[in-house]
Amino acid sequence: MKEQLEALKLEALKELESVNDSKTLNDFRVKYLGKKGPLTEILRGMGKLSNEERPVIGQVANEVRSAIGNAIQSKQDEISRKELENRLKEETIDITLPGRKPTQGAIHPLNKVIQDIEDIFVGMGYTVEEGPEVEKDYYNFEALNLPKDHPARDMQDTFYITEEFLMRTHTSPVQIRTMEAKKGEVPIKIICPGRVYRRDDDDATHSHAFTQIEGLVIDKNVRMSDLKGTLLQFVQEMYGKDTQIRLRPSFFPFTEPSAEVDITCANCKGDGCRICKQTGWIEILGSGMVHPRVLEMAGYDPNEYSGFAFGMGVERIAMLKYGIDDIRHFFTNDLRFLNQFVRI
Ligand code: PHE
């Protein structure tokens, strides 16, 4: 029995040499030291031994058990160390790898131009007002001297929601809302940026939704020359000091007199080219002196107060400034277009 035990020990230690991972080691432990293992088997047979033999064999059996146990323990330590080493090797961070650059957003060119225009007018003492895009017929038309069935309503094809509500066709209703809120107080010096809607077919120069900026000044003794000086200051800050303006007589129901404003073509400096259709001038906005009826309806006495107003399409202003040839670029979000404006 003693030889049997010694042989078992040798066999076990030999087999252990080829064990290299935790799982096989565990199987090994069960095989040799488990309940169904050979050692347990041998120890079970101890009852048959004589009283002299039993303690001797018992001692040998214990030695074999602890020899195998110790060997398992040191194997376990060795495997754990190796496994840790491997993990550390696998998980090392290669700090020489080039990093992934986070993509950075940028302000949309349209918003940038709105901000630039706001800055110019804020510099002249204006404040910024906003109004709703879903508007009452009253503010969009009636209070602007465009009663129902007025033929000039056809100048702006309208998306109606109900008889009374519509998508605003211009930012001019914000003029009326501001005058009403001011309750006859002066001065009023505001600009109103915002989105407007018209039943237009979309093409390179038309969009059913676009952006306008409205301007309104109401005070005592406001004159046409104030309008002209203000707009000249604006276009020179926007397009450069050598830009000139020209006012052409026009018609809007809410201004009298009314004028379309042209600027000298930035491309040919007035000589005539494809962009200005050989005229040397480019139309950029509509304007005029606030109509006495509009003042009156909004609670301002036209004998005491006067004012001017103007409205411009922001996409058009931006297209002229940056040489953009299609208004749809502003809305289709093609990054090849947008990325050109990251640093303007
Ligand atoms: N609201 C006019 C338009 O959309 C522009 C305008 C504004 C004209 C203010 C005169 C005064 O066409």
Side-chain angles (χ1 to χ4, degrees), residues 151-167:
R153 282 195 179 205
D154 295 345
M155 282 166 77
Q156 301 173 353
D157 259 336
T158 310
F159 288 115
Y160 276 94
I161 294 167
T162 64
E163 280 265 302
E164 198 192 343
F165 286 98
L166 45 78
M167 300 307 290

PDB file of all heavy atoms in Angstrom, residues 151-167:
ATOM      1  N   PRO A 151     -56.333  93.612 -53.545  1.00  0.00           N
ATOM      2  CA  PRO A 151     -55.599  92.903 -54.616  1.00  0.00           C
ATOM      3  C   PRO A 151     -54.130  92.649 -54.288  1.00  0.00           C
ATOM      4  O   PRO A 151     -53.551  91.672 -54.749  1.00  0.00           O
ATOM      5  CB  PRO A 151     -55.747  93.834 -55.832  1.00  0.00           C
ATOM      6  CG  PRO A 151     -56.293  95.118 -55.315  1.00  0.00           C
ATOM      7  CD  PRO A 151     -56.965  94.851 -54.017  1.00  0.00           C
ATOM      8  N   ALA A 152     -53.534  93.517 -53.465  1.00  0.00           N
ATOM      9  CA  ALA A 152     -52.111  93.358 -53.163  1.00  0.00           C
ATOM     10  C   ALA A 152     -51.827  92.123 -52.312  1.00  0.00           C
ATOM     11  O   ALA A 152     -50.672  91.726 -52.146  1.00  0.00           O
ATOM     12  CB  ALA A 152     -51.571  94.601 -52.464  1.00  0.00           C
ATOM     13  N   ARG A 153     -52.869  91.496 -51.760  1.00  0.00           N
ATOM     14  CA  ARG A 153     -52.642  90.251 -51.012  1.00  0.00           C
ATOM     15  C   ARG A 153     -52.049  89.176 -51.931  1.00  0.00           C
ATOM     16  O   ARG A 153     -51.366  88.279 -51.482  1.00  0.00           O
ATOM     17  CB  ARG A 153     -53.949  89.736 -50.416  1.00  0.00           C
ATOM     18  CG  ARG A 153     -54.358  90.486 -49.160  1.00  0.00           C
ATOM     19  CD  ARG A 153     -55.414  89.715 -48.418  1.00  0.00           C
ATOM     20  NE  ARG A 153     -55.795  90.403 -47.197  1.00  0.00           N
ATOM     21  CZ  ARG A 153     -56.310  89.789 -46.150  1.00  0.00           C
ATOM     22  NH1 ARG A 153     -56.541  88.502 -46.189  1.00  0.00           N
ATOM     23  NH2 ARG A 153     -56.624  90.471 -45.072  1.00  0.00           N
ATOM     24  N   ASP A 154     -52.349  89.320 -53.215  1.00  0.00           N
ATOM     25  CA  ASP A 154     -51.828  88.337 -54.166  1.00  0.00           C
ATOM     26  C   ASP A 154     -50.317  88.450 -54.357  1.00  0.00           C
ATOM     27  O   ASP A 154     -49.689  87.563 -54.924  1.00  0.00           O
ATOM     28  CB  ASP A 154     -52.499  88.513 -55.541  1.00  0.00           C
ATOM     29  CG  ASP A 154     -53.985  88.212 -55.471  1.00  0.00           C
ATOM     30  OD1 ASP A 154     -54.401  87.603 -54.465  1.00  0.00           O
ATOM     31  OD2 ASP A 154     -54.712  88.588 -56.408  1.00  0.00           O
ATOM     32  N   MET A 155     -49.713  89.566 -53.889  1.00  0.00           N
ATOM     33  CA  MET A 155     -48.256  89.711 -54.001  1.00  0.00           C
ATOM     34  C   MET A 155     -47.560  88.592 -53.222  1.00  0.00           C
ATOM     35  O   MET A 155     -46.431  88.229 -53.497  1.00  0.00           O
ATOM     36  CB  MET A 155     -47.783  91.048 -53.416  1.00  0.00           C
ATOM     37  CG  MET A 155     -48.025  92.257 -54.337  1.00  0.00           C
ATOM     38  SD  MET A 155     -47.832  93.816 -53.430  1.00  0.00           S
ATOM     39  CE  MET A 155     -46.054  93.972 -53.311  1.00  0.00           C
ATOM     40  N   GLN A 156     -48.237  88.084 -52.199  1.00  0.00           N
ATOM     41  CA  GLN A 156     -47.631  87.043 -51.372  1.00  0.00           C
ATOM     42  C   GLN A 156     -48.598  85.868 -51.275  1.00  0.00           C
ATOM     43  O   GLN A 156     -49.588  85.932 -50.563  1.00  0.00           O
ATOM     44  CB  GLN A 156     -47.341  87.597 -49.968  1.00  0.00           C
ATOM     45  CG  GLN A 156     -46.408  88.797 -49.997  1.00  0.00           C
ATOM     46  CD  GLN A 156     -46.255  89.445 -48.648  1.00  0.00           C
ATOM     47  OE1 GLN A 156     -46.936  89.088 -47.696  1.00  0.00           O
ATOM     48  NE2 GLN A 156     -45.353  90.398 -48.562  1.00  0.00           N
ATOM     49  N   ASP A 157     -48.317  84.829 -52.010  1.00  0.00           N
ATOM     50  CA  ASP A 157     -49.184  83.651 -51.978  1.00  0.00           C
ATOM     51  C   ASP A 157     -49.087  82.984 -50.617  1.00  0.00           C
ATOM     52  O   ASP A 157     -47.993  82.665 -50.160  1.00  0.00           O
ATOM     53  CB  ASP A 157     -48.767  82.671 -53.079  1.00  0.00           C
ATOM     54  CG  ASP A 157     -49.703  82.779 -54.267  1.00  0.00           C
ATOM     55  OD1 ASP A 157     -50.855  83.216 -54.056  1.00  0.00           O
ATOM     56  OD2 ASP A 157     -49.289  82.439 -55.386  1.00  0.00           O
ATOM     57  N   THR A 158     -50.228  82.776 -50.003  1.00  0.00           N
ATOM     58  CA  THR A 158     -50.243  82.462 -48.577  1.00  0.00           C
ATOM     59  C   THR A 158     -50.666  81.031 -48.285  1.00  0.00           C
ATOM     60  O   THR A 158     -51.584  80.514 -48.907  1.00  0.00           O
ATOM     61  CB  THR A 158     -51.232  83.413 -47.875  1.00  0.00           C
ATOM     62  OG1 THR A 158     -50.921  84.738 -48.291  1.00  0.00           O
ATOM     63  CG2 THR A 158     -51.137  83.301 -46.374  1.00  0.00           C
ATOM     64  N   PHE A 159     -49.998  80.415 -47.310  1.00  0.00           N
ATOM     65  CA  PHE A 159     -50.474  79.143 -46.757  1.00  0.00           C
ATOM     66  C   PHE A 159     -51.487  79.475 -45.663  1.00  0.00           C
ATOM     67  O   PHE A 159     -51.103  79.951 -44.585  1.00  0.00           O
ATOM     68  CB  PHE A 159     -49.330  78.359 -46.094  1.00  0.00           C
ATOM     69  CG  PHE A 159     -48.330  77.763 -47.042  1.00  0.00           C
ATOM     70  CD1 PHE A 159     -47.014  78.193 -47.039  1.00  0.00           C
ATOM     71  CD2 PHE A 159     -48.691  76.736 -47.894  1.00  0.00           C
ATOM     72  CE1 PHE A 159     -46.074  77.622 -47.884  1.00  0.00           C
ATOM     73  CE2 PHE A 159     -47.755  76.150 -48.747  1.00  0.00           C
ATOM     74  CZ  PHE A 159     -46.450  76.605 -48.743  1.00  0.00           C
ATOM     75  N   TYR A 160     -52.756  79.254 -45.929  1.00  0.00           N
ATOM     76  CA  TYR A 160     -53.768  79.487 -44.903  1.00  0.00           C
ATOM     77  C   TYR A 160     -53.953  78.234 -44.065  1.00  0.00           C
ATOM     78  O   TYR A 160     -53.912  77.113 -44.584  1.00  0.00           O
ATOM     79  CB  TYR A 160     -55.099  79.871 -45.547  1.00  0.00           C
ATOM     80  CG  TYR A 160     -55.172  81.347 -45.878  1.00  0.00           C
ATOM     81  CD1 TYR A 160     -54.817  81.809 -47.138  1.00  0.00           C
ATOM     82  CD2 TYR A 160     -55.570  82.268 -44.906  1.00  0.00           C
ATOM     83  CE1 TYR A 160     -54.859  83.161 -47.438  1.00  0.00           C
ATOM     84  CE2 TYR A 160     -55.617  83.623 -45.203  1.00  0.00           C
ATOM     85  CZ  TYR A 160     -55.258  84.067 -46.464  1.00  0.00           C
ATOM     86  OH  TYR A 160     -55.293  85.403 -46.742  1.00  0.00           O
ATOM     87  N   ILE A 161     -54.178  78.433 -42.773  1.00  0.00           N
ATOM     88  CA  ILE A 161     -54.480  77.295 -41.897  1.00  0.00           C
ATOM     89  C   ILE A 161     -55.984  77.239 -41.682  1.00  0.00           C
ATOM     90  O   ILE A 161     -56.619  76.209 -41.841  1.00  0.00           O
ATOM     91  CB  ILE A 161     -53.715  77.416 -40.566  1.00  0.00           C
ATOM     92  CG1 ILE A 161     -52.223  77.296 -40.859  1.00  0.00           C
ATOM     93  CG2 ILE A 161     -54.163  76.354 -39.568  1.00  0.00           C
ATOM     94  CD1 ILE A 161     -51.333  77.697 -39.728  1.00  0.00           C
ATOM     95  N   THR A 162     -56.555  78.394 -41.329  1.00  0.00           N
ATOM     96  CA  THR A 162     -58.007  78.557 -41.310  1.00  0.00           C
ATOM     97  C   THR A 162     -58.270  79.907 -41.968  1.00  0.00           C
ATOM     98  O   THR A 162     -57.344  80.539 -42.463  1.00  0.00           O
ATOM     99  CB  THR A 162     -58.552  78.594 -39.866  1.00  0.00           C
ATOM    100  OG1 THR A 162     -58.009  79.751 -39.220  1.00  0.00           O
ATOM    101  CG2 THR A 162     -58.175  77.350 -39.080  1.00  0.00           C
ATOM    102  N   GLU A 163     -59.519  80.342 -41.935  1.00  0.00           N
ATOM    103  CA  GLU A 163     -59.832  81.682 -42.460  1.00  0.00           C
ATOM    104  C   GLU A 163     -59.012  82.745 -41.733  1.00  0.00           C
ATOM    105  O   GLU A 163     -58.545  83.706 -42.320  1.00  0.00           O
ATOM    106  CB  GLU A 163     -61.320  81.985 -42.196  1.00  0.00           C
ATOM    107  CG  GLU A 163     -62.257  81.345 -43.183  1.00  0.00           C
ATOM    108  CD  GLU A 163     -62.599  82.328 -44.307  1.00  0.00           C
ATOM    109  OE1 GLU A 163     -63.120  83.412 -43.987  1.00  0.00           O
ATOM    110  OE2 GLU A 163     -62.334  81.993 -45.478  1.00  0.00           O
ATOM    111  N   GLU A 164     -58.825  82.503 -40.425  1.00  0.00           N
ATOM    112  CA  GLU A 164     -58.247  83.537 -39.585  1.00  0.00           C
ATOM    113  C   GLU A 164     -56.742  83.376 -39.364  1.00  0.00           C
ATOM    114  O   GLU A 164     -56.033  84.342 -39.102  1.00  0.00           O
ATOM    115  CB  GLU A 164     -58.965  83.488 -38.214  1.00  0.00           C
ATOM    116  CG  GLU A 164     -58.778  84.739 -37.397  1.00  0.00           C
ATOM    117  CD  GLU A 164     -59.237  84.507 -35.969  1.00  0.00           C
ATOM    118  OE1 GLU A 164     -59.976  83.532 -35.718  1.00  0.00           O
ATOM    119  OE2 GLU A 164     -58.844  85.311 -35.096  1.00  0.00           O
ATOM    120  N   PHE A 165     -56.269  82.113 -39.446  1.00  0.00           N
ATOM    121  CA  PHE A 165     -54.846  81.848 -39.162  1.00  0.00           C
ATOM    122  C   PHE A 165     -54.098  81.413 -40.411  1.00  0.00           C
ATOM    123  O   PHE A 165     -54.633  80.695 -41.259  1.00  0.00           O
ATOM    124  CB  PHE A 165     -54.699  80.773 -38.090  1.00  0.00           C
ATOM    125  CG  PHE A 165     -55.037  81.275 -36.716  1.00  0.00           C
ATOM    126  CD1 PHE A 165     -56.287  81.036 -36.167  1.00  0.00           C
ATOM    127  CD2 PHE A 165     -54.103  81.998 -35.978  1.00  0.00           C
ATOM    128  CE1 PHE A 165     -56.605  81.516 -34.903  1.00  0.00           C
ATOM    129  CE2 PHE A 165     -54.412  82.480 -34.714  1.00  0.00           C
ATOM    130  CZ  PHE A 165     -55.672  82.232 -34.174  1.00  0.00           C
ATOM    131  N   LEU A 166     -52.829  81.842 -40.497  1.00  0.00           N
ATOM    132  CA  LEU A 166     -52.009  81.527 -41.667  1.00  0.00           C
ATOM    133  C   LEU A 166     -50.551  81.427 -41.243  1.00  0.00           C
ATOM    134  O   LEU A 166     -50.195  81.753 -40.115  1.00  0.00           O
ATOM    135  CB  LEU A 166     -52.181  82.636 -42.714  1.00  0.00           C
ATOM    136  CG  LEU A 166     -52.140  84.093 -42.230  1.00  0.00           C
ATOM    137  CD1 LEU A 166     -50.737  84.591 -41.973  1.00  0.00           C
ATOM    138  CD2 LEU A 166     -52.794  84.990 -43.279  1.00  0.00           C
ATOM    139  N   MET A 167     -49.710  80.915 -42.152  1.00  0.00           N
ATOM    140  CA  MET A 167     -48.263  80.967 -41.921  1.00  0.00           C
ATOM    141  C   MET A 167     -47.838  82.365 -42.369  1.00  0.00           C
ATOM    142  O   MET A 167     -48.144  82.776 -43.500  1.00  0.00           O
ATOM    143  CB  MET A 167     -47.530  79.915 -42.752  1.00  0.00           C
ATOM    144  CG  MET A 167     -47.946  78.478 -42.472  1.00  0.00           C
ATOM    145  SD  MET A 167     -47.872  78.048 -40.733  1.00  0.00           S
ATOM    146  CE  MET A 167     -46.088  78.031 -40.463  1.00  0.00           C
TER     147      MET A 167
END
